[in-house]
């Protein structure tokens, strides 16, 4: 059935009133990460290959009769997919609408708001789970950061810079406990010191040390693996190594665990995966060499606040696909949240003495540059 245009036009104020509510939800990751409209046009579960060039070494120039045979590189990549295509239904019958009288439109607006909120929160939660693919960590597990100063933001900046991350689009997404600590710091709430009364009067989190700071309700606690203590490194491991041999069984480590070697608490690494004899960490690997026999310490449970370059995490989001000639929907419209950028699709299906609305979204996300992502332990 061909789509009849403008059926939803009369509901536009109701829909945008709902969108206004959703745009104020705490979705810190969605507006902070990179978006690619062309890649988002891929079909669900279609592989999208994102190529990543590696650092290159310099060599001495030596005059010769022919150009040198050098400069070959192996270009790595990360595969991405749109993995989810979901909708939230809203259904009304004629009798139900009549019973509501003048409350129908406000109730419908709230239903649309809840539907978009559900989808936005799931996208946010998917992005928050990418902490398991980060490179390194800073802070104390189980201790909320920014308790007395903003030193953590300076240290996270140092960590990312040491990993080679660009400085132009740095983001930090924290949970509400860390946000509360920031809002309580006197040097941020004193207008003469902060240069603004935005934090004191409106609770706005100001930029810190080059980071745009946002809060997220999608951050959840990480529960460490079952391994506790007594593990040791099984071989001498050089700087840059990502696969660390261990003498004891490593099967009880889980992705997202934070570990350090010996007494070197300045360099904490995020476990990407583990087998019975090898712990894998993300690029750029070890920052200092580790000797055979060095003890492995696993951090306690923690809250994974994240600092990253926006280009290190990609979000693919689009409206769910329909056939080119349309389906049985009598009208479809797309509303884009100006805060998160999510394109919510609203479709109307007329039924026998009833209406069926769908609020839909298709998306996928991936961390493509682990060395440009780090965890601030909370």
């Amino acid at each position: 059935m061909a789509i009849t245009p403008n059926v939803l036009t009369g509901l536009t104020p109701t829909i945008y009133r709902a969108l206004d509510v959703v745009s104020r939800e705490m979705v810190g990751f969605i507006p902070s990460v990179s978006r690619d409209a062309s890649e988002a046009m891929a079909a669900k579960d279609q592989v999208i290959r994102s190529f990543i060039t590696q650092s290159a070494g310099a060599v001495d120039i030596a005059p010769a009769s022919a150009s040198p045979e050098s400069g070959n590189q192996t270009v790595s990549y990360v595969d991405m997919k749109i993995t989810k295509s979901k909708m939230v239904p809203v259904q009304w019958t004629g009798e139900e609408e009549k019973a509501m009288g003048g409350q129908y439109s406000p109730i419908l607006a709230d239903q649309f708001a809840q539907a978009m909120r559900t989808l936005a929160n799931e996208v946010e939660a998917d992005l928050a789970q990418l902490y398991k693919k980060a490179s390194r960590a800073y802070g104390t597990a189980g201790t909320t950061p920014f308790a007395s100063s903003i030193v953590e933001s300076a240290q996270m900046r140092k960590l990312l810079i040491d990993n080679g991350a660009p400085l132009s689009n740095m983001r930090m997404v924290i949970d509400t406990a860390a946000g509360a600590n920031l809002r309580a710091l006197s040097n941020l709430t004193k207008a003469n010191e902060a240069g603004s009364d935005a934090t004191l009067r409106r609770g706005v989190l100001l930029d810190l040390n080059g980071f745009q700071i946002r809060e997220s309700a999608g951050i959840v606690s990480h529960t460490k693996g079952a391994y506790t203590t007594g593990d040791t490194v099984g071989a001498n491991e050089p700087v840059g190594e990502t696969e660390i041999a261990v003498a004891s069984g490593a099967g009880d480590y889980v992705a997202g665990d934070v570990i350090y070697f010996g007494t070197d608490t300045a360099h904490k690494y995020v476990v990407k995966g583990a087998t019975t004899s090898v712990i894998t960490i993300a690029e750029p690997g070890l920052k200092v060499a580790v000797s055979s026999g060095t003890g492995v310490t696993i951090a306690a449970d923690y809250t994974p606040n994240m600092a990253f370059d926006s280009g290190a995490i990609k979000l693919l989001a689009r409206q769910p696909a329909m056939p080119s000639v349309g389906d049985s929907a009598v009208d479809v419209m797309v509303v884009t949240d100006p805060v998160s950028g999510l394109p919510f699709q609203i479709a109307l299906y007329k039924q026998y003495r009833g209406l069926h609305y769908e609020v839909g979204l298709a998306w996928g996300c991936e961390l493509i540059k682990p060395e440009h992502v780090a965890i601030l332990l909370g």
Side-chain angles (χ1 to χ4, degrees), residues 180-253:
N181 277 354
L182 275 179
R183 291 184 178 91
L185 292 176
S186 60
N187 58 328
L188 296 184
T189 55
K190 292 180 180 178
N192 63 319
E193 295 182 18
S196 169
D197 66 354
T199 301
L200 175 64
R201 302 302 180 193
R202 301 189 302 280
V204 175
L205 295 178
L206 303 176
D207 292 359
L208 295 175
N209 288 308
F211 289 106
Q212 290 185 18
I213 312 291
R214 290 187 172 96
E215 288 173 291
S216 172
I219 297 175
V220 295
S221 178
H222 171 81
T223 301
K224 70 179 182 66
Y227 202 93
T228 54
T229 186
D231 206 354
T232 58
V233 177
N236 293 329
E237 303 290 3
V239 172
E241 182 60 62
T242 59
E243 295 186 351
I244 316 301
V246 290
S248 302
D252 290 329
Y253 294 100

Side-chain angles (χ1 to χ4, degrees), residues 35-336:
R35 296 278 300 277
D36 192 317
S38 61
E39 291 179 343
M41 291 301 101
K44 181 177 179 291
D45 295 323
Q46 179 181 348
V47 173
I48 304 164
R49 186 152 288 178
S50 181
F51 292 95
I52 303 171
T53 57
Q54 305 300 311
S55 59
V59 297
D60 292 330
I61 296 176
S65 59
S67 60
E69 291 289 334
S70 62
N72 293 328
Q73 290 186 352
T74 299
V75 179
S76 61
Y77 58 86
V78 174
D79 286 341
M80 301 181 60
K81 295 179 182 179
I82 292 178
T83 55
K84 295 182 177 180
S85 182
K86 293 193 174 185
M87 68 85 176
V88 179
V90 177
Q91 190 133 333
W92 282 85
T93 66
E95 291 294 339
E96 289 170 340
E97 180 180 345
K98 189 173 185 64
M100 291 299 101
Q103 294 301 309
Y104 170 67
S105 181
I107 293 173
L108 185 60
D110 288 345
Q111 289 179 309
F112 283 144
Q114 291 294 342
M116 289 185 276
R117 177 186 181 187
T118 295
L119 294 171
N121 285 346
E122 188 166 345
V123 176
E124 184 77 1
D126 287 350
L127 288 166
Q129 283 297 306
L130 293 177
Y131 77 89
K132 297 175 182 178
K133 299 182 179 182
S135 61
R136 297 169 60 195
Y138 174 83
T140 303
T143 300
T144 304
F146 305 116
S148 59
S149 72
I150 62 170
V151 65
E152 288 92 343
S153 63
Q155 290 296 330
M156 294 304 289
R157 177 188 174 95
K158 176 184 182 302
L159 191 156
L160 291 181
I161 290 174
D162 290 347
N163 277 6
L167 304 179
S168 55
N169 292 298
M170 293 201 302
R171 307 286 189 264
M172 184 181 293
V173 182
I174 58 179
D175 72 339
T176 54
N181 277 354
L182 275 179
R183 291 184 178 91
L185 292 176
S186 60
N187 58 328
L188 296 184
T189 55
K190 292 180 180 178
N192 63 319
E193 295 182 18
S196 169
D197 66 354
T199 301
L200 175 64
R201 302 302 180 193
R202 301 189 302 280
V204 175
L205 295 178
L206 303 176
D207 292 359
L208 295 175
N209 288 308
F211 289 106
Q212 290 185 18
I213 312 291
R214 290 187 172 96
E215 288 173 291
S216 172
I219 297 175
V220 295
S221 178
H222 171 81
T223 301
K224 70 179 182 66
Y227 202 93
T228 54
T229 186
D231 206 354
T232 58
V233 177
N236 293 329
E237 303 290 3
V239 172
E241 182 60 62
T242 59
E243 295 186 351
I244 316 301
V246 290
S248 302
D252 290 329
Y253 294 100
V254 298
D257 281 351
V258 171
I259 60 173
Y260 62 88
F261 302 101
T263 59
D264 183 18
T265 58
H267 297 96
K268 296 177 180 178
Y269 307 95
V270 182
V271 174
K272 183 178 179 181
T275 65
T276 56
S277 59
V278 174
I279 299 173
T280 302
I281 60 177
E283 297 289 346
L286 294 175
K287 299 299 287 186
V288 296
V290 177
S291 301
S292 177
T294 301
V296 182
T297 300
I298 182 171
D301 298 348
Y302 67 89
T303 299
N305 306 290
M306 290 172 65
F308 51 93
D309 164 59
S310 63
I313 300 175
K314 279 195 173 183
L315 169 64
L316 310 179
R318 59 164 171 78
Q319 56 183 300
M322 285 187 169
S324 59
V325 295
D327 63 2
S328 60
V330 296
D331 198 7
V332 178
M333 70 180 295
V334 178
V335 292
T336 301

